Amino acid sequence: MNEDKKNKLNREIEADANKFNITVIILMALMSVACEVLNNVGVFLVDKNVMHIGMGIALIFLLIPISFYLVHDIFMKKETSIFYWPNLKGLIIGSVFIAVLSFNVALTNHSLILILVPSLVAAQYKNNKAVNHWVGVVSIILVPIGVYGGYFLGSLDHNLVKVAADQTTATIAERWELAKGSGRMLSLFTHHVLPRALCVLAADALIIGILKRNERMIDGQLELTDRLQEQMDKTSHIQERIANNLAALIENRDVSTGEHVVRTQAYVKLICDELRRNPSYQRPLSEEEAALIIKAAPLHDVGKIKVSDVILKKPGKLTPEEYEAMKLHAVASDAIIHSILDNIEESEFVYVADQIAVHHHEKWDGSGYPSNLKGEEIPLPARIMAVADVFDALVSIRVYKPPFPLDEAFTIIKDSSGTHFDPQIVKAFLNIRDKVTEVAKGKVEQASL
């Protein structure tokens, strides 16, 4: 199983858990305020001082993780959310423990259900068995602390143990004396500690069982994802080999084309990378779209298979009739690509390859071929390919011309902005002049193809 993928998934799970638990903590903080109000109107029968102290402690500890979130994500607006902070988990669980303990001491039986909250909060962190086992143990320990803390520090009323009316305000020492010899400590354990501890133990066992099942499901999903990725990689490799083999067929007829497709693919990648730095291109030129354009680039001249050797290898200038015949390779590309790739390639790849092969000879001002498309009517992949194709043709040896110097070629591209080429693509191309020069001089690997 891919450990990197599993670690990334676990990190996302923990971030989601932190986000959810912050919401729980906010609700608990609001609940502490509500308890104060309910006690004041007589719903709870708790001494007001005890309630103030208990809810005050709970609120202070609950506000600690809330404050971290507000400062980091809301006010400072950090790029990486605090939900990805590894130590936030411990801060949240610790704050919840202290808050629940305060609730238990102050509210006694009113807060019985809250004993399960620490275990449920920890259960959100599915990828950490140690945390869940530790929280389960501490939650059980929390039960007697809460019960006996409520007895010695809270209100001695019918919420915990029935006592006489004149004993409700007894001091800690007086409560200890009251419990001695009366069996009250044992009564507290039997009627309050033991049932709550069993409840927590049962809940923890259920939570751990659910976590184990979820972990098996996650492992199964990751394994399935790995298999799918492996199959996709094989398919991608087949696609690349098909594209390269088709390009090799052209190379056998036009010696310059073999090196040409390698260099133009490198130029296309460099242009795509530079354009993606512009926010306006990040959506139309997504990472997936850019990958398809780069992969399809070698097929841009596949239609030359249909062009006669007499025309393709003619050392001199083409006659008007020969030029018209040469132009037909763009139209021929459509039929070739669909006849070969339709049944073995993804439709997105075929679509992009078709756009490039058919339309990379269109011009920004509408004077190109085969459809006289103008401006943004020309597909973006074809507009990118046009710059790469023309530049490489300029700096390369052809049977009908010597290579242009690099400076002159860059000048021609620049001067053709707004007439032959999309101005934004020319701008991006000129921004990467040094990298393009490396490719033109044969350092294709440095273009990170």
Side-chain angles (χ1 to χ4, degrees):
M1 184 175 295
N2 191 317
E3 287 300 320
D4 289 339
K5 289 182 181 178
K6 187 171 183 178
N7 291 336
K8 182 179 179 181
L9 180 59
N10 286 338
R11 189 166 179 263
E12 292 297 329
I13 289 173
E14 187 161 302
D16 288 341
N18 284 331
K19 185 176 182 180
F20 176 82
N21 286 335
I22 285 290
T23 304
V24 171
I25 285 179
I26 292 173
L27 293 175
M28 290 181 67
L30 294 174
M31 187 172 68
S32 68
V33 176
C35 287
E36 285 275 11
V37 175
L38 292 173
N39 194 57
N40 286 334
V41 298
V43 175
F44 294 148
L45 303 176
V46 179
D47 180 87
K48 289 186 177 181
N49 290 329
V50 173
M51 180 65 81
H52 292 334
I53 295 172
M55 295 303 102
I57 292 173
L59 187 60
I60 289 171
F61 278 90
L62 291 171
L63 285 176
I64 293 174
I66 294 174
S67 299
F68 271 85
Y69 164 68
L70 291 175
V71 171
H72 187 278
D73 283 23
I74 305 300
F75 297 118
M76 298 180 68
K77 297 181 180 180
K78 295 289 188 178
E79 183 176 349
T80 302
S81 174
I82 198 172
F83 297 135
Y84 289 93
W85 183 39
N87 296 326
L88 183 61
K89 171 174 57 183
L91 183 64
I92 288 174
I93 294 175
S95 298
V96 169
F97 264 121
I98 301 298
V100 168
L101 181 59
S102 298
F103 274 107
N104 272 266
V105 170
L107 296 174
T108 59
N109 277 355
H110 287 309
S111 63
L112 176 61
I113 193 65
L114 290 180
I115 298 175
L116 300 177
V117 171
S119 295
L120 293 172
V121 166
Q124 303 303 314
Y125 304 104
K126 303 176 184 178
N127 60 316
N128 199 322
K129 296 179 183 177
V131 169
N132 290 285
H133 284 89
W134 177 79
V135 170
V137 172
V138 176
S139 294
I140 294 175
I141 298 174
L142 184 68
V143 174
I145 295 175
V147 171
Y148 289 111
Y151 173 77
F152 286 108
L153 302 175
S155 293
L156 276 174
D157 56 28
H158 63 276
N159 290 318
L160 189 58
V161 178
K162 185 180 290 186
V163 295
D166 60 350
Q167 296 174 339
T168 57
T169 59
T171 64
I172 294 177
E174 289 171 338
R175 296 179 193 210
W176 175 252
E177 290 297 325
L178 185 65
K180 287 171 62 178
S182 66
R184 182 156 295 172
M185 298 297 285
L186 180 60
S187 176
L188 287 172
F189 180 82
T190 303
H191 294 97
H192 295 277
V193 174
L194 188 59
R196 298 183 190 196
L198 291 176
C199 179
V200 172
L201 185 63
D204 287 342
L206 179 62
I207 289 169
I208 290 173
I210 293 173
L211 292 176
K212 288 182 178 179
R213 184 192 66 181
N214 288 345
E215 186 174 4
R216 287 195 297 269
M217 291 175 61
I218 290 173
D219 289 343
Q221 290 173 350
L222 286 172
E223 185 176 351
L224 179 60
T225 300
D226 286 343
R227 290 180 181 176
L228 290 174
Q229 186 61 52
E230 183 179 351
Q231 187 61 43
M232 290 173 63
D233 290 342
K234 288 180 180 179
T235 302
S236 178
H237 181 66
I238 292 172
Q239 290 175 346
E240 291 179 6
R241 290 195 62 180
I242 290 172
N244 291 335
N245 287 338
L246 285 173
L249 289 174
I250 305 168
E251 181 180 2
N252 290 333
R253 304 189 61 227
D254 182 356
V255 177
S256 65
T257 303
E259 296 176 355
H260 170 71
V261 295
V262 174
R263 288 192 299 270
T264 51
Q265 188 179 39
Y267 298 143
V268 166
K269 184 184 186 306
L270 291 173
I271 294 171
C272 287
D273 290 345
E274 181 63 20
L275 285 174
R276 281 173 49 77
R277 291 163 58 87
N278 185 335
S280 61
Y281 280 92
Q282 288 176 2
R283 177 172 292 180
L285 197 58
S286 65
E287 185 176 347
E288 295 77 12
E289 181 73 12
L292 289 174
I293 294 172
I294 295 164
K295 189 187 300 184
L299 297 176
H300 69 280
D301 275 335
V302 70
K304 285 186 177 180
I305 294 174
K306 293 279 190 176
V307 180
S308 166
D309 282 347
V310 175
I311 297 174
L312 198 61
K313 298 179 180 181
K314 183 177 180 179
K317 184 176 180 180
L318 299 179
T319 65
E321 293 78 12
E322 290 170 335
Y323 181 62
E324 290 299 318
M326 173 65 84
K327 287 165 60 176
L328 293 177
H329 83 274
V331 178
S333 299
D334 179 69
I336 294 171
I337 287 174
H338 283 284
S339 64
I340 296 177
L341 303 181
D342 269 348
N343 295 325
I344 56 176
E345 292 283 4
E346 296 177 354
S347 59
E348 294 85 357
F349 176 79
V350 176
Y351 180 68
V352 172
D354 188 66
Q355 286 183 323
I356 289 174
V358 175
H359 295 296
H360 72 283
H361 288 292
E362 304 284 0
K363 294 184 179 181
W364 187 254
D365 62 5
S367 63
Y369 67 89
S371 303
N372 300 118
L373 299 182
K374 182 178 181 180
E376 293 188 358
E377 293 176 353
I378 308 168
L380 179 59
R383 303 200 310 263
I384 294 172
M385 190 73 239
V387 174
D389 183 44
V390 172
F391 178 81
D392 194 69
L394 290 170
V395 300
S396 302
I397 299 174
R398 291 289 186 264
V399 292
Y400 53 85
K401 74 165 188 66
F404 282 75
L406 286 172
D407 289 344
E408 187 175 349
F410 278 112
T411 299
I412 293 173
I413 296 295
K414 181 179 179 181
D415 292 343
S416 300
S417 175
T419 54
H420 191 155
F421 306 118
D422 181 340
Q424 291 299 319
I425 296 177
V426 171
K427 180 180 178 181
F429 186 76
L430 296 177
N431 286 343
I432 53 174
R433 178 169 179 156
D434 291 343
K435 295 179 181 179
V436 170
T437 299
E438 289 181 346
V439 175
K441 291 181 177 178
K443 301 177 182 179
V444 178
E445 292 183 356
Q446 294 187 24
S448 302
L449 186 60

